[in-house]
Amino acid sequence: MGRVTARTPVLRIRGPHRSTRPDTVASEEPLEIRLAGTPLAVTMRTPGHDFDLVHGFLATEGVITSPADVAALRYCDSVDDEGRNTYNVVDVDLAPGVPVPDTALERNFYTTSSCGVCGKASIDAIRTRTTFDVAADPVQVPLDALLALPDRLRAAQEVFEKTGGLHAAGLFTAEGELVCVREDVGRHNAVDKVVGDAVRAGRLPLAGHVLMVSGRTSFELMQKSAMAGIPVLAAVSAPSSLAVELAEATGTTLVGFLRGDGCNVYAGAHRVV
């Protein structure tokens, strides 16, 4: 397996003092996802929980909805210059009857750590692809439980404490209990890893749950949340305009600037009590 962190020498400057010392940084490596040997997607990710990432990516792209849709998956023999397996290619066999996506008709499945998807299809197209009725979810979240989520997410970020360079996504119950947390150089990968963990356990849709993410909420994160059937998406920073529009269209509660003793509720305020 690839390493989650790496060590590198740095010049440390603190006022008039300079020193050379090793520092820990977050690893970033490509992961190629193949379907029956055919390349489907490449994402820059932090190694670890790769099978969660693959399941989550396929679920949030509407390819699968349950673990039964995947017949098998494995690391391919991708090797480095010294002949060692890089564990950077995963090949997936879909179960019989599961349609294989036609990438010629959709956007090119390419994502990066900085920007998950650019030029996404329209909000109406996302609504037609979403299997789960998020708007019908009756869950309500106590405000005090919501306000406690940023600290609980940060406390669970093991690699962030070493590097300061990873995003995180955490799945919580409506009462604020942590269900799953994943870290990655890309926000969208962290979310896919959380969703993939649920897919592999057969827990989709994630009704009654809250997804908490570090940083801002983009359109793509909102889309992934809706595709997983999550009724509440919260972030420590701001949402984009398209994220707000998609939240309203899917009936998702969207919370931003969740920090300290306050937050902004951009959509679905009826769920915050």
Side-chain angles (χ1 to χ4, degrees):
M1 290 289 294
R3 295 176 298 171
V4 175
T5 62
R7 299 285 281 175
T8 185
V10 299
L11 173 63
R12 188 172 186 267
I13 302 174
R14 297 294 184 272
H17 304 289
R18 299 187 179 202
S19 62
T20 301
R21 51 172 283 183
D23 195 16
T24 301
V25 296
S27 294
E28 182 175 22
E29 298 181 12
L31 179 68
E32 179 178 329
I33 302 172
R34 297 177 181 174
L35 292 181
T38 301
L40 175 71
V42 176
T43 185
M44 300 301 297
R45 97 302 189 193
T46 299
H49 302 289
D50 286 338
F51 288 178
D52 285 350
L53 173 57
V54 172
H55 277 81
F57 177 83
L58 294 177
T60 59
E61 290 297 335
V63 179
I64 65 173
T65 58
S66 75
D69 292 337
V70 176
L73 75 165
R74 69 199 70 82
Y75 284 108
C76 296
D77 294 329
S78 56
V79 297
D80 59 18
D81 294 339
E82 298 179 6
R84 297 172 300 189
N85 196 327
T86 63
Y87 296 98
N88 284 341
V89 180
V90 173
D91 196 11
V92 181
D93 293 330
L94 297 177
V98 178
V100 177
D102 184 357
T103 55
L105 299 179
E106 300 290 337
R107 65 167 176 82
N108 185 19
F109 284 86
Y110 176 77
T111 59
T112 71
S113 60
S114 61
C115 143
V117 176
C118 300
K120 196 66 177 174
S122 68
I123 288 177
D124 286 343
I126 296 299
R127 292 182 65 184
T128 61
R129 293 175 58 207
T130 303
T131 305
F132 310 117
D133 187 359
V134 176
D137 195 316
V139 69
Q140 291 187 312
V141 182
L143 179 59
D144 57 349
L146 194 63
L147 294 175
L149 296 188
D151 287 342
R152 293 184 178 181
L153 180 63
R154 179 67 179 271
Q157 290 184 250
E158 297 179 359
V159 182
F160 182 88
E161 290 300 321
K162 300 177 182 177
T163 67
L166 288 184
H167 293 290
L171 186 70
F172 295 86
T173 66
E175 293 74 32
E177 296 180 7
L178 180 64
V179 177
C180 176
V181 63
R182 294 289 185 264
E183 296 178 276
D184 201 277
V185 288
R187 291 184 192 89
H188 59 289
N189 288 335
V191 171
D192 276 342
K193 288 178 178 181
V194 166
V195 173
D197 173 75
V199 173
R200 298 177 71 187
R203 292 189 284 112
L204 252 59
L206 288 169
H209 287 79
V210 180
L211 178 63
M212 176 75 204
V213 297
S214 61
R216 62 185 176 84
T217 302
S218 65
F219 175 79
E220 189 198 9
L221 295 194
M222 185 63 253
Q223 173 232 326
K224 289 180 180 296
S225 177
M227 292 294 289
I230 300 172
V232 182
L233 174 59
V236 298
S237 190
S240 69
S241 61
L242 277 181
V244 175
E245 290 181 34
L246 183 56
E248 293 172 342
T250 58
T252 302
T253 297
L254 179 59
V255 179
F257 292 106
L258 181 59
R259 58 183 75 162
D261 62 354
C263 61
N264 291 348
V265 183
Y266 293 86
H270 64 282
R271 290 198 179 98
V272 180
V273 296

